[in-house]
Amino acid sequence: MTRKFGNKIHSFALLFGLLLMAPLSRAQINLGPVTVGAGLRTSFDHTAPNGGSSTDEFTLDSVRLYVNGDVTENIKFMFNTEYDQGTNKVGVLDAVAEFGVSPKFNIWAGRFLPPSDRANLYGPYYANEWAVYTDGIQDGYPFVFNGRDNGVVYWGDFAKKVKVSLGAFDGKSADGDAKVIGAARIQIDFWDKEAGYYLNGTYYGDKNLLAIGGATQFQSGHTATTADFLLEKKLPNAGVFTIESEYSNYSGLGGYDAAYTHSQGAYGLASYLFPKAVGIGKFQVLGKFADAEFTHGRTVNYSQKTTEVNLNYVMKQFKARIMSFYKDTRFDRVVPNSWQVGLGLQVQI
């Protein structure tokens, strides 16, 4: 038995060696260029709730692996993973088959961000502020995992100024309703163009932007609707000024509090990137205020007001930045107030 097993190993080794020496076109399948990247967000947070004990935590907020490849000139594949600090597990973030004939005609299928607000389409790694998705307004759409859902979408860029997307997504895995979720978004760029499907919260002066967008999702007679605005201007020898805002209305679909079927609100954000480099980076100051109201719930209505202030050190835009933040969250009833201060680090390759 030992000799026969050894002979089998020798045969497999010989076959493997012959394959290695074979021409590339016969030993391997050439799928075109493949790129691999990674991202990390980690922070120290001091949180102080009213009437409770404060906590100090070092958190591993996010770790991502990015894989992208070309199957043919018009067919591409994207696969990204995300570490979930709540479960200490890694899950599928994006898994997308991309079919693109031209900027005007693209079809994506799999798991990805559906047509929604700008905040969802830039995610935490390309947001301008640190404490995204904590204001009761940004990205309240239903999702399977981290704003994503399983489905199919058509999207296109038209006339260098208009961006349109329309899709259908799985309802049961997102919110328990077996009916399909329809999703649509339209955006108009009055100055520079934002090409592609995904967006940014800032371009750190690489673009001069004046963009207005609107999105809606609908399922079983319920809707989630948002309108967003971004203005960014690079001033001659005087840094970069950015204004972002959004209005949201979640009516029976999505929202931040499952005990309330309706919520709406708005936020405004302003930032300034100083022009002079200090060491290897530039300093940025940022302020944001949000006001959300939750109604049609199990108990009395309540409102949430969120104030965030950042002092950021931008070394290589979204690839390397250190972000210090203060966030004050106040409720008029139901939920206790709290404030948080911390320091976050983001790197990507």
Side-chain angles (χ1 to χ4, degrees):
M1 293 294 295
T2 302
R3 181 175 295 177
K4 290 181 179 179
F5 184 71
N7 289 338
K8 289 181 179 179
I9 293 177
H10 179 75
S11 299
F12 280 124
L14 179 60
L15 177 61
F16 182 69
L18 290 173
L19 287 172
L20 288 178
M21 292 185 291
L24 178 63
S25 60
R26 300 189 59 157
Q28 299 178 6
I29 299 175
N30 186 359
L31 296 179
V34 175
T35 61
V36 178
L40 166 71
R41 283 168 58 91
T42 185
S43 64
F44 170 77
D45 311 313
H46 173 84
T47 305
N50 282 16
S53 301
S54 62
T55 59
D56 295 304
E57 295 181 288
F58 287 95
T59 60
L60 184 58
D61 302 283
S62 172
V63 182
R64 293 183 176 182
L65 177 67
Y66 312 121
V67 180
N68 292 271
D70 295 345
V71 181
T72 69
E73 182 180 355
N74 297 320
I75 303 174
K76 303 180 186 299
F77 177 73
M78 174 172 61
F79 176 67
N80 304 323
T81 66
E82 170 74 83
Y83 164 78
D84 184 350
Q85 64 172 327
T87 62
N88 200 36
K89 295 180 180 179
V90 176
V92 175
L93 185 66
D94 303 288
V96 191
E98 306 175 14
F99 303 88
V101 178
S102 71
K104 296 180 180 180
F105 189 87
N106 299 272
I107 300 291
W108 286 11
R111 175 178 293 183
F112 53 95
L113 295 170
S116 46
D117 56 347
R118 174 179 286 272
N120 192 34
L121 291 168
Y122 56 55
Y125 282 87
Y126 294 89
N128 203 2
E129 79 273 27
W130 177 265
V132 291
Y133 317 129
T134 60
D135 57 13
I137 298 165
Q138 288 180 307
D139 184 27
Y141 292 94
F143 61 88
V144 175
F145 183 56
N146 273 15
R148 275 73 176 173
D149 200 1
N150 306 324
V152 60
V153 71
Y154 156 80
W155 68 269
D157 291 333
F158 294 89
K160 300 182 180 180
K161 297 294 181 182
V162 179
K163 184 188 304 291
V164 177
S165 55
L166 179 67
F169 295 85
D170 187 63
K172 187 174 183 179
S173 56
D175 60 13
D177 187 340
K179 299 294 184 180
V180 168
I181 298 175
R185 176 179 171 86
I186 183 169
Q187 178 178 318
I188 301 174
D189 295 316
F190 293 94
W191 295 347
D192 289 346
K193 175 67 180 176
E194 290 181 277
Y197 185 71
Y198 292 128
L199 304 172
N200 287 6
T202 176
Y203 289 85
Y204 293 116
D206 287 347
K207 292 179 182 290
N208 289 317
L209 287 177
L210 178 57
I212 298 175
T216 187
Q217 293 185 10
F218 43 93
Q219 179 193 45
S220 301
H222 303 296
T223 60
T225 304
T226 55
D228 49 74
F229 170 87
L230 181 66
L231 183 151
E232 182 161 283
K233 182 68 176 177
K234 185 174 183 179
L235 306 174
N237 302 316
V240 180
F241 182 67
T242 306
I243 296 176
E244 181 189 353
S245 65
E246 177 177 327
Y247 166 78
S248 67
N249 188 320
Y250 304 108
S251 183
L253 184 63
Y256 274 71
D257 192 333
Y260 292 78
T261 59
H262 187 270
S263 64
Q264 62 179 341
Y267 73 80
L269 178 153
S271 69
Y272 179 72
L273 181 69
F274 290 90
K276 185 177 180 180
V278 179
I280 61 173
K282 296 180 180 180
F283 282 101
Q284 181 197 47
V285 292
L286 180 149
K288 176 185 175 184
F289 178 75
D291 190 350
E293 182 178 4
F294 300 84
T295 60
H296 301 78
R298 298 172 188 168
T299 59
V300 296
N301 301 340
Y302 73 94
S303 64
Q304 173 186 345
K305 291 180 172 59
T306 308
T307 303
E308 181 181 353
V309 178
N310 288 187
L311 175 61
N312 304 323
Y313 186 59
V314 183
M315 294 169 283
K316 197 174 181 181
Q317 298 192 2
F318 302 106
K319 291 186 176 181
R321 56 183 184 173
I322 298 172
M323 308 175 74
S324 62
F325 58 93
Y326 167 80
K327 182 167 69 77
D328 181 78
T329 308
R330 296 182 178 272
F331 302 89
D332 63 347
R333 56 179 69 87
V334 179
V335 184
N337 300 332
S338 66
W339 62 271
Q340 184 179 65
V341 63
L343 186 67
L345 170 66
Q346 174 176 311
V347 293
Q348 291 191 96
I349 57 172

